[in-house]
Amino acid sequence: MLPAGGLVLRPWREDDVDAAWAALQDPETRRWNDAGSGSREDARALLARRRDWSSGDHASWAVADPADRLLGSVSLHSVDRDQGDAEIGYWTVPAARGRGVAVRAVDAACRWGFAVLELDRVQLFHAVENEASGRVAARAGFTREGRLRRSFRYGDGVRHDELLWSRLSDDPPPALR
């Protein structure tokens, strides 16, 4: 479990499936993070994969408030220990948006990755049209590096241009509010 500025990043549990399934039905979440949204069984399988860190290629947490209500998800994935890098992905429930939840979760996951996994670089990709993710990246201490043309097919079935951001282990930490 990781503290995240009044929130907690905790392991996913089997009893999270109903809350996760409900969150994954949100149209914006489905558009940008379609995994696990097809059926309740898909959501159950997604959470099972996120609970199992044994492969070493990811570390995934549920983001919860002090009352243990699910606010979102954050994962370091595509972890390459030899290269010292990983990617980060996240989503939040609609009620948690605009409150800094994603920023605090991303920052806490990065700090953990730098300290525990000894990562040097964390990359963040998002569709150009997903401006909210750009705000999260900037506020979480990432530097925008470039644009990848038609690089990923999102939940809407369309290949979108993406923006690439990175945060390095020796970048100054963000000033979180």
Side-chain angles (χ1 to χ4, degrees):
M1 295 195 20
L2 300 175
L7 306 173
V8 65
L9 276 54
R10 62 163 175 76
W12 284 98
R13 303 184 304 241
E14 279 193 44
D15 66 352
D16 287 323
V17 73
D18 289 336
W21 168 249
L24 293 169
Q25 299 316 296
D26 170 63
E28 282 299 296
T29 302
R30 288 179 75 123
R31 182 176 185 198
W32 304 124
N33 299 278
D34 196 35
S37 65
S39 70
R40 194 175 236 89
E41 283 310 307
D42 289 344
R44 187 179 314 282
L46 173 71
L47 296 189
R49 287 189 303 274
R50 292 197 173 170
R51 281 194 309 273
D52 180 6
W53 294 16
S54 64
S55 68
D57 67 347
H58 78 279
S60 303
W61 298 270
V63 180
D65 67 10
D68 200 33
R69 287 183 294 258
L70 182 66
L71 300 179
S73 172
V74 65
S75 295
L76 287 169
H77 61 92
S78 304
V79 174
D80 184 333
R81 300 290 292 271
D82 291 334
Q83 290 296 317
D85 59 33
E87 296 177 23
I88 195 157
Y90 52 89
W91 53 260
T92 56
V93 300
R97 294 182 188 146
R99 297 178 18 211
V101 169
V103 172
R104 288 178 278 163
V106 166
D107 177 58
C110 286
R111 289 174 192 252
W112 181 87
F114 296 143
V116 175
L117 300 181
E118 299 180 350
L119 298 175
D120 183 53
R121 176 184 173 91
V122 176
Q123 298 183 133
L124 186 156
F125 299 87
H126 69 85
V128 170
E129 299 87 351
N130 187 349
E131 295 175 2
S133 277
R135 290 189 297 273
V136 168
R139 289 183 55 210
F142 284 72
T143 298
R144 185 173 153 183
E145 294 185 338
R147 183 181 187 126
L148 305 167
R149 297 170 57 215
R150 285 198 305 255
S151 58
F152 193 79
R153 187 179 319 279
Y154 283 86
D156 60 3
V158 175
R159 290 185 68 87
H160 290 264
D161 286 7
E162 290 183 296
L163 297 178
L164 165 62
W165 302 71
S166 71
R167 182 166 159 187
L168 304 179
S169 60
D170 55 358
D171 283 344
L176 300 180
R177 299 176 239 125

